[in-house]
Amino acid sequence: MKNIVKTLVFVTVALFSFNLQAQDKFGHIDSSEILALMPETKNAEQAIQNYAVELENQLKAMYSEYETKLAEYTDGEKLMTDVVKQSKITNLEDLQLRINQFQQNSQNDLQKRRNDALKPILEKAQNAVNEVAQENGYTYIFDISTGTVVFKTDANDITALVKAKLGVQ
């Protein structure tokens, strides 16, 4: 899949280069490699991993509580009245619901923390790309790890011409 994306990026660059003026300058980066080398990324990933372990430990404790209560119910079910059985079943169902909600909330919270932790790192890397591209006269910079354009100048923006051709504003 990664090779396909790389190939598509290079084909796109080649096609654009035939249609653009000679002064246009293209470049590419591998943001995955850059981010992996930044110490801030390593620190953020470690903090996220530590938080994930905390969440996992809490989830394990909840599972353990569920298994203990289920075993107590199973072991004593024959001696319980219907009212007690129903109460225990309701408690088990409530605990199971809480476990499911905790899992969903944990996944969402972990993703939010990851995004929050990586946002300033990504911004720092993007700023460096912008500065290098401007200092060296690049028109476009492609990210070969994602297949996206990470820097472009407005010199070749034909949006207004296409809108005029279509008669739309």
Side-chain angles (χ1 to χ4, degrees), residues 68-111:
T68 300
K69 288 184 177 187
L70 181 61
E72 288 173 3
Y73 172 78
T74 305
D75 291 344
E77 178 183 11
K78 293 179 182 173
L79 303 174
M80 293 179 197
T81 65
D82 288 342
V83 172
V84 172
K85 281 183 189 179
Q86 188 56 47
S87 175
K88 298 264 185 199
I89 289 171
T90 301
N91 285 338
L92 284 168
E93 289 171 346
D94 289 345
L95 183 53
Q96 192 172 31
L97 180 63
R98 286 196 334 258
I99 289 171
N100 291 338
Q101 288 174 339
F102 182 81
Q103 283 178 311
Q104 289 175 346
N105 292 341
S106 294
Q107 289 172 354
N108 293 339
D109 189 45
L110 191 59
Q111 186 60 45

Side-chain angles (χ1 to χ4, degrees), residues 83-149:
V83 172
V84 172
K85 281 183 189 179
Q86 188 56 47
S87 175
K88 298 264 185 199
I89 289 171
T90 301
N91 285 338
L92 284 168
E93 289 171 346
D94 289 345
L95 183 53
Q96 192 172 31
L97 180 63
R98 286 196 334 258
I99 289 171
N100 291 338
Q101 288 174 339
F102 182 81
Q103 283 178 311
Q104 289 175 346
N105 292 341
S106 294
Q107 289 172 354
N108 293 339
D109 189 45
L110 191 59
Q111 186 60 45
K112 183 182 179 323
R113 280 191 184 222
R114 173 173 271 112
N115 291 342
D116 290 347
L118 293 178
K119 184 178 179 182
I121 299 166
L122 294 171
E123 287 175 357
K124 180 179 180 180
Q126 182 64 53
N127 290 339
V129 168
N130 294 347
E131 290 173 15
V132 168
Q134 290 170 348
E135 290 167 0
N136 293 284
Y138 285 95
T139 307
Y140 291 96
I141 302 291
F142 297 91
D143 185 346
I144 60 173
S145 67
T146 62
T148 59
V149 174

Side-chain angles (χ1 to χ4, degrees), residues 34-52:
I34 293 169
L35 292 173
L37 294 172
M38 293 175 69
E40 300 95 325
T41 304
K42 293 174 186 172
N43 294 338
E45 288 295 339
Q46 184 60 52
I48 292 164
Q49 184 62 34
N50 291 344
Y51 184 64

